[in-house]
Amino acid sequence: MAGTASALLGDAQPWLQWGWIDRHLGEIGSAIGQHIELTLIAVGIGLAISLPLGYVAWRWKRWEKPLYGITGALFTVPSLALFAFLIPVTGLGRTTAEIGLVSYTLLILVRNIVAGLDSVPAEVRDAARGLGYGAGRQLVFVDLPLAAPTIIAGVRLAVVTTIGLVTVASLVGAGGGLGTLISLGQQNNFRTEVVLGAVLSVVLAAAFDVALVLVERAVTPWSRRGARG
Amino acid sequence: MWHFLGELASWYATGSHWHGSSGVPVLLWATVKIAAESVLIALAVALPVGVGLGHSGRGGFLAINVTNVGRALPAIAVLVIGVQVLGIGEPPALATLVVLSLPPVLTNAYIGVRQVDPEVTDAARGMGMTGWQVLRRVELPTALPLIAAGVRTAAVQAVATVTLAAYVSYSCLGSLILEGISVGDHVEIVAGSLLVVALALLTELALAWLQRAVTPAGIRVASRLTWSEA
């Protein structure tokens, strides 16, 4: 590609070549698309796993410590090592990327789900019981809505973290996304691709963060302050 | 499976993997050294700033949000942009590690000092302590567990990030993983990964212990607040 030419340009190379960007909008768009898809799948699966785990940790406190221990240990494993570790098992590709990405969301999500449920005032739960709410109905219509701000704060954190980690996954050749731009740019010593990949992943993270703040406002119309994230 | 474990064991038993410039001890030391340097630099820069902001009560927005921005910055992106500015090898690696270690230290120092009960600092002032004395004898000791938590987060993250620096030709434990990937050697990939994981978990455990050790007996609470509070 632009590799040899830009290598010759050396230090005179501009940070962004708009002409190149213009000619490669399709590639850039599909990298963004892949990045979003990998992120949403990871956080979606992460939530599907974390909600029951968080409920268990909250309802039966003796499970809290072991669950934090396991998810915390997963969170501590360096991302490159985790993705690399999976390569012999699941190969180079999407599955490897997603398993790694999901495992990093668990600690963040479980902690925030437990903190959210803990923040539901005891009087409110008493009142719900007094109105004849069963355990299931109370969870869905009372506990979860009141816990929503804290849970969404966790989702925001998980999304932002995952967007950063997707770039590591593509480094080991798993998944694709904006990291592919970064590694191609690095290999070809082509600044535009490197900068574009980096800037776009930060922009993507910021955009998702703002979008989730709006979601939070929408699902908590009573707009309780105390969204601790 | 058993065959793979056997190969793994023989990788670790092979003498040549433990000697020379790409032997495990050299790579391990390169990893630990640069991670420790970056955390120390981050401490020297961010601790005074965070504690100062917390003490004066100003700049809270900055101190809190710098962590969120730091989290959104993909380490790889910072690394490769660092390469464009500083060339390959140790300089961009160290610069990246410092940039990523600053936020947790800064935010935790700020929150740590900020969350000291105002009644306690009032009482200290009432006893005739100067602002400096309040800081040194009341706020800092109380903030110490959170500051240590920030150091722990920064250090574990630094160990994880050094491995990525292998990608910009900084020779460290991550180099084993990337070399394994590039030649398709699964044994080397897993052998390298296990070493990295062990180092990360050891770092976490050692600093968790340190955090507990510096916590004054009166305030032993769960104090790893970086991601739920920041």
Side-chain angles (χ1 to χ4, degrees), chain A residues 34 116 226:
Chain A
Q34 282 174 350

Side-chain angles (χ1 to χ4, degrees), chain A residues 16 30 147 158 187:
Chain A
L16 281 175
S30 69
Q187 279 159 29

Side-chain angles (χ1 to χ4, degrees), chain A residues 11 13 15 73 75-82 84-85 87-88 92 107-108 111-112 156-157 160-161 163-164 167-168 171-172 182-187 189-191 194-195 197-198 201-202 205 228-229, chain B residues 4 68 71-81 83-85 88 156 159-161 163-164 166-168 174 177-178 181 186-187 189-190 192-194 196-197 200-201 204 224-230:
Chain A
D11 268 352
Q13 194 186 142
W15 289 99
F75 194 82
T76 307
V77 173
S79 50
L80 182 65
L82 183 57
F85 205 79
I87 290 175
L92 280 173
L107 176 68
I108 303 172
R111 281 184 88 109
N112 277 270
R156 281 170 60 192
L157 217 50
V160 171
T161 309
I163 288 175
T167 56
V168 179
L171 188 78
V172 301
I182 298 178
S183 29
L184 281 176
Q186 167 76 8
Q187 279 159 29
N189 189 26
F190 182 49
R191 273 187 187 166
V194 170
V195 173
S201 45
V202 175
R228 286 148 55 91
Chain B
F4 188 81
N68 292 342
R71 199 189 302 270
L73 278 180
I76 294 280
V78 184
L79 269 175
V80 290
I81 289 179
V83 170
Q84 295 297 326
V85 180
I88 58 167
V156 172
V159 168
T161 311
T163 59
L164 295 177
Y167 184 64
V168 296
I177 299 176
L178 289 187
I181 292 174
H186 288 176
V187 176
I189 295 176
V190 173
S193 301
L194 284 177
V196 170
V197 172
L201 290 176
E204 165 85 7
R224 192 175 183 179
L225 298 171
T226 3
W227 47 63
S228 55
E229 302 286 312

Side-chain angles (χ1 to χ4, degrees), chain A residues 83-174:
Chain A
F83 290 124
F85 205 79
L86 291 167
I87 290 175
V89 188
T90 48
L92 280 173
R94 210 155 234 232
T95 317
T96 299
E98 291 295 1
I99 294 175
L101 295 172
V102 167
S103 58
Y104 285 114
T105 64
L106 297 181
L107 176 68
I108 303 172
L109 291 173
V110 171
R111 281 184 88 109
N112 277 270
I113 290 165
V114 173
L117 291 172
D118 272 341
S119 75
V120 178
E123 310 91 86
V124 175
R125 314 191 65 239
D126 267 354
R129 217 163 325 165
L131 284 166
Y133 275 57
R137 217 151 68 95
Q138 182 182 331
L139 180 69
V140 175
F141 293 106
V142 179
D143 294 333
L144 282 178
L146 286 175
T150 314
I151 296 178
I152 293 175
V155 173
R156 281 170 60 192
L157 217 50
V159 165
V160 171
T161 309
T162 305
I163 288 175
L165 287 169
V166 170
T167 56
V168 179
S170 42
L171 188 78
V172 301

